[in-house]
Amino acid sequence: EAGVTQFPSHSVIEKGQTVTLRCDPISGHDNLYWYRRVMGKEIKFLLHFVKESKQDESGMPNNRFLAERTGGTYSTLKVQPAELEDSGVYFCASSQLVGALNTEAFFGQGTRLTVV
Amino acid sequence: AQKVTQAQTEISVVEKEDVTLDCVYETRDTTYYLFWYKQPPSGELVFLIRRNSFDEQNEISGRYSWNFQKSTSSFNFTITASQVVDSAVYFCALSEVNAGNMLTFGGGTRLMVKP
């Protein structure tokens, strides 16, 4: 069974440019989460999808970040325009929804974003 | 609000030594989950264990063991007879059932096991 897949693994862009990160969750997982770790800090929650709906986007830092999950399958996270402080590793995770309970989340390998 | 503290930012041991990674958490919820994840040099976060707040039994899985103590709000992780392949960053995390199961992570502990 394929795990959570993220693309690209690395991205280097200039300040002001746009970048789109993609996450393919484990097949059948309704929950999809985005997290990020900026240099030297903790891994922080960004948002949570249940199928195609945004369940919680309280962690999104500002309106330069836009996440979508059309059709409830893969998700994209767009940063436009990118700023230097957006540099870090962006993780995607997915988990199953079993009744009212969520199983443990499985993470992708992350996308390392560098804004120069 | 929930919080996870991993006071040890970096630990260095020699192969075959035992090592314990500390994790202390804060939460107001009575129902929550605690996790440990391993981040090897390849970058992905590898799930190790999930423990719910009602199960204080210690768990052992091979060379790994976990000690959950609600009285001290701790969920410590011990590696017995460490190996070079154990070198990684280890993250402790907490999720509250009432918070959509989003994870709150500690800062991570970098473990270096030297041959």
Side-chain angles (χ1 to χ4, degrees):
Chain A
E1 180 184 325
V4 177
T5 306
Q6 292 186 244
F7 182 83
S9 55
H10 293 85
S11 180
V12 181
I13 61 171
E14 292 184 352
K15 176 182 171 181
Q17 288 187 323
T18 297
V19 63
T20 300
L21 314 180
R22 173 172 169 144
C23 169
D24 287 74
I26 293 172
S27 178
H29 282 194
D30 289 331
N31 291 307
L32 187 149
Y33 305 83
W34 283 98
Y35 292 82
R36 76 170 179 177
R37 187 182 194 199
V38 296
M39 188 62 69
K41 298 193 175 178
E42 290 114 351
I43 301 171
K44 292 284 193 184
F45 167 80
L46 295 178
L47 88 160
H48 170 204
F49 284 99
V50 177
K51 297 184 181 179
E52 67 275 9
S53 300
K54 290 178 185 174
Q55 184 76 13
D56 180 355
E57 51 184 333
S58 60
M60 295 288 263
N62 51 62
N63 59 10
R64 295 185 294 103
F65 289 76
L66 175 64
E68 294 180 325
R69 193 183 182 193
T70 307
T73 55
Y74 71 91
S75 174
T76 57
L77 179 65
K78 182 192 290 188
V79 185
Q80 178 183 31
E83 298 289 344
L84 298 178
E85 65 264 25
D86 300 332
S87 296
V89 180
Y90 289 76
F91 290 101
C92 175
S94 72
S95 69
Q96 280 184 306
L97 187 59
V98 181
L101 298 176
N102 296 313
T103 62
E104 62 270 19
F106 293 90
F107 282 77
Q109 83 282 11
T111 293
R112 181 174 296 278
L113 174 65
T114 304
V115 183
V116 297
Chain B
Q2 61 269 40
K3 183 179 179 182
V4 177
T5 302
Q6 294 179 253
Q8 306 145 309
T9 54
E10 202 166 288
I11 301 176
S12 182
V13 299
V14 176
E15 208 170 17
K16 297 184 184 176
E17 285 185 5
D18 298 347
V19 58
T20 295
L21 310 182
D22 297 333
C23 173
V24 175
Y25 63 92
E26 295 175 29
T27 178
R28 294 177 186 168
D29 273 17
T30 55
T31 305
Y32 52 90
Y33 291 96
L34 295 163
F35 301 78
W36 277 94
Y37 283 87
K38 174 182 180 180
Q39 186 183 35
S42 50
E44 75 276 20
L45 288 168
V46 178
F47 168 80
L48 295 178
I49 189 172
R50 177 174 83 158
R51 176 52 52 87
N52 77 56
S53 52
F54 298 108
D55 182 2
E56 280 192 79
Q57 275 193 333
N58 291 334
E59 178 148 345
I60 298 174
S61 176
R63 296 184 297 106
Y64 295 172
S65 62
W66 291 270
N67 184 353
F68 176 28
Q69 292 196 352
K70 288 179 78 170
S71 60
T72 55
S73 296
S74 65
F75 187 45
N76 296 338
F77 172 32
T78 297
I79 302 175
T80 303
S82 59
Q83 299 176 2
V84 173
V85 294
D86 296 327
S87 297
V89 181
Y90 291 85
F91 291 95
C92 181
L94 163 76
S95 75
E96 297 172 340
V97 170
N98 293 326
N101 280 22
M102 67 170 227
L103 293 167
T104 297
F105 284 88
T109 297
R110 180 177 298 278
L111 173 65
M112 291 177 290
V113 182
K114 299 177 181 176

